[in-house]
Amino acid sequence: SQQGEEDPQALSIQEGENATMNCSYKTSINNLQWYRQNSGRGLVHLILIRSNEREKHSGRLRVTLDTSKKSSSLLITASRAADTASYFCATAPTGGFKTIFGAGTRLFVKA
Amino acid sequence: DTEVTQTPKHLVMGMTNKKSLKCEQHMGHRAMYWYKQKAKKPPELMFVYSYEKLSINESVPSRFSPECPNSSLLNLHLHALQPEDSALYLCASSQEKLRQGAGTGELFFGEGSRLTVL
């Protein structure tokens, strides 16, 4: 069964604006990861947040994790046209071996 | 540039053909994965190898046959596929040994092999 659900499914913003994507999951997890995928390409790992962490930063990225609500958010600040891509959250359920991907958010940044 | 190399980038095959997808990594990772991705959908896990042994088979039809000849290589053998098997096939690797309760860490993906079954 699909572990992560993402919201919104698609997001269109102007360059320079911030983009926020949300992810919800169903079971307890070891960690949650965010990946980016340009059209037709492989996925690129962006950031990993462990279940005992609440917030993590990497450059223009900020990720939060609320394990009580089983949700995470990815904030991209000062977006650029090059940020146009699909973004997936991925969870590693506790007691499991698998990384399962959410449905993804398609982000379009207009120059 | 990705450190996981997949070949071929594109493959067109008939339903009676036998072909193989190949994946190679030289990062010393001991876990390797095959994912299948349909258009506008997330990647779906197919197989996981840990230390060259098949650890997970997500109930994938037998017309897909994985093989891990050594710690750097991962193959996916294809036979008697159906048109609905057309998709992007992604290979990935990770550093962590799979162990109960640990989940997986960062996955490194190749660029994928775009498969079309006629």
Side-chain angles (χ1 to χ4, degrees), chain B residues 52-108:
Chain B
E52 295 98 69
K53 287 186 169 50
L54 184 64
S55 293
I56 295 174
N57 176 343
E58 288 287 270
S59 302
V60 178
S62 60
R63 57 187 186 267
F64 295 91
S65 175
E67 179 196 20
C68 190
N70 60 55
S71 60
S72 299
L73 293 174
L74 186 66
N75 298 322
L76 186 62
H77 302 299
L78 315 170
H79 174 54
L81 295 193
Q82 304 296 313
E84 58 265 30
D85 296 321
S86 298
L88 181 67
Y89 288 84
L90 293 161
C91 173
S93 67
S94 69
Q95 195 168 35
E96 282 87 328
K97 175 183 177 181
L98 299 182
R99 56 186 186 278
Q100 187 68 28
T104 55
E106 176 182 354
L107 296 178
F108 291 78

Side-chain angles (χ1 to χ4, degrees), chain A residues 63-76:
Chain A
V63 168
T64 62
L65 179 64
D66 187 335
T67 53
S68 66
K69 294 180 180 178
K70 292 188 169 59
S71 67
S72 173
S73 67
L74 170 67
L75 168 68
I76 304 174

Side-chain angles (χ1 to χ4, degrees), chain A residues 24-74:
Chain A
S24 61
Y25 56 91
K26 296 175 182 172
T27 65
S28 61
I29 59 172
N30 284 306
N31 64 63
L32 186 144
Q33 303 171 49
W34 286 91
Y35 289 81
R36 184 187 75 215
Q37 184 179 34
N38 288 78
S39 180
R41 306 288 297 275
L43 283 79
V44 175
H45 183 264
L46 295 176
I47 197 164
L48 180 152
I49 186 165
R50 299 195 185 281
S51 58
N52 61 353
E53 297 175 308
R54 292 296 165 258
E55 188 170 314
K56 206 162 181 181
H57 296 254
S58 177
R60 293 185 295 112
L61 306 180
R62 173 178 169 254
V63 168
T64 62
L65 179 64
D66 187 335
T67 53
S68 66
K69 294 180 180 178
K70 292 188 169 59
S71 67
S72 173
S73 67
L74 170 67

